[in-house]
Amino acid sequence: MKNLFSIWFFLLAVIASPVKSSESYHIEHLEPPFWWANMTESGLQLMVHGKNISSLDPELIYPGIKIIQVHRLSNPNYLFIDLFLSKETMPGKFEIIFTKKGQIKTKYIYSLLKRDRGSAFRKGFSQEDVIYLITPDRYANGDRNNDSVPSLKEKLNQNNKDGRHGGDLQGIIDRLDYIEKMGFTQIWLNPVLENDQHTFSYHGYSTTDYYNIDERFGTNELYKELSEIANSKGIGIIMDLILNHIGSEHWLMYDLPSSDWINHNGEFVQTSHIHESIYDPYIPQFEKDLFTSGWFVETMPDLNQSNQFLANYLIQLSIWWVEYAKLAGFRIDTYPYINKDFLTIWSKRIAREYPNFNFCGEAWNNNPSMVAYWQKGSKPYDGYISYIPSMKDFPLQKALVQGLMSEEKWDSGIGDIYRVLANDYQYGDPYNLLVFAGNHDMQRIYSQLSENMDLYKMAMSFILTTRGIPQIYYGTEIAMTSTRDHGELRKDFPGGWAGDKIDAFNGIKLSGEQREAQNFMRELLNWRKSSSAIGKGSLVHYPVKNGVYVYFRLYGNNLVMVMLNNNKRLIRIDPGRFNEVLGEKNQGISVLDNRVYDLTSKINLSGKSALILEID
Ligand code: CA
């Protein structure tokens, strides 16, 4: 009875309290939560969220910082505070006080941190790198305590191919030695920001909090630690960022600053997914708009980046993560779906803040002109200006698989690769494209190539030696197979879970094929690191003849020759055809087996094989 009474009194107290609570204010979000002194851009816009917070006036006193303007939107639960930070502002902490009629109602201690030495001029990923793409939920479980957490909806279910499997940042930290020894120099993780969706949350593409790492992967501090340890091994971290949409469970969706933060006023209208809409000269305006303003799917509300406050919010959170987590790059999801005027502003600002940084957009289209459109330095038909240095090379991926899998004829076979690369004139910088044979959205490349080890080696030889920055999806190095099902193609990496019978990290119980693939990749990746022709060189290639594609990479005196024979039969190649590039050089050494090849006579190239020669 006593307990019942106390509950009753408690309830009475709660009911009786509204007069008092209307005068108490609580900041639920203040973002960015901290910032850095001495950034190139002197402006900073703070978004403050809390019940009726707009009825308060913010004030602060700190040398070098001024409040320029305070914005109040239709939702009284937000304040946007424009700050000016002079170049002389020193790192430190200060109070932002929020007052009403001269009385302090609440406050926030804001930190202005000191930037790392060289932060502004950090080097981004480049052709000298190879990027290892990891789906963090599916790679290695380094901490079983975070497999399910009380505060997040979806719990561990390793038996469900679309469920959470428990992989995390600690698992990756624990495997950095493996990644380093394999020869990868960059890690791109599928999104690791909080994804508190009911289902399919493991893939990470429905952000529910832009400033926090998903607890099931770890913490912000652990993400930074991963980056620092990786950096000490010469490995950079590339963050996968989604600016097009948020998850339907994002906290913003429960209290939008204004209804126009989400396209179609927060109502689900699906995008057409017709990429051509952007470039098509004949398309009606409604159809054109539908592509970018429609939602990707119902659980991914589409952000309206033409809203200035949202635009600032997205720009600042991007910079915040570069600075906080010491990033080497971004990969931006669904790039053409994003408001393109915003992308110009966003990419310009990132490039201005970090002139040597690299970031890459995903435009999943097999037409080179529709990928080139977005890259910095390209000259698109409508004069669109972009500052994004890199794009993913989908056309080349398609041509590679199609070329290797089709019959050698005048208009099919390996000539597909040659023909697509001949479109490179459209790119601002083709050497800065991300090249890949497979990724996290496609059937595993080994399966796409009918589980044929010869074709696999040809594909990997090509990806690791052609122009551009190679990206390898985790598991490709052990020739993992899959169906087209998304849960299947993101299978757990063997050895990442306690009790796994097969352990690819330590080479335990791998099949003959898996071992062959892994050794092949390790050798090629580590050789690649030492080759300046591959890391910095230009590409010269020859039109395909008799089903054989031959190309060179050149950098100063360093020359690499690659030959791909897509016939089933052996072909004898006359190096005389390549005199213009070879000049006086008469000898090449195979990078995989150190065999010496005489370039003054014909070279035997087995059917379905690749030969990579270093020429001195
Ligand atoms: Ca875990």
Side-chain angles (χ1 to χ4, degrees), residues 301-326:
D302 202 68
L303 294 170
N304 171 20
Q305 300 87 0
S306 69
N307 178 303
Q308 292 306 302
F309 298 100
L310 174 57
N312 277 335
Y313 185 75
L314 296 173
I315 288 167
Q316 291 177 168
L317 73 89
S318 308
I319 292 167
W320 192 89
W321 279 109
V322 178
E323 204 66 30
Y324 176 76
K326 308 168 198 292

Side-chain angles (χ1 to χ4, degrees), residues 366-369 393 395-427 462 466-467 539 541-551 566:
N366 296 318
N367 182 336
S369 79
D393 196 342
L396 190 60
Q397 189 277 336
K398 174 99 174 170
L400 172 64
V401 174
Q402 208 167 272
L404 291 177
M405 295 300 285
S406 59
E407 239 183 285
E408 282 305 321
K409 289 184 188 164
W410 170 249
D411 58 355
S412 71
I414 202 158
D416 285 351
I417 296 175
Y418 169 81
R419 283 182 284 274
V420 83
L421 286 172
N423 285 277
D424 274 9
Y425 67 91
Q426 300 177 81
Y427 290 108
F462 173 72
T466 187
R467 57 89 177 124
L539 171 72
H541 69 174
Y542 282 77
V544 168
K545 202 170 157 185
N546 300 328
V548 178
Y549 176 49
V550 178
Y551 59 95
N566 200 32

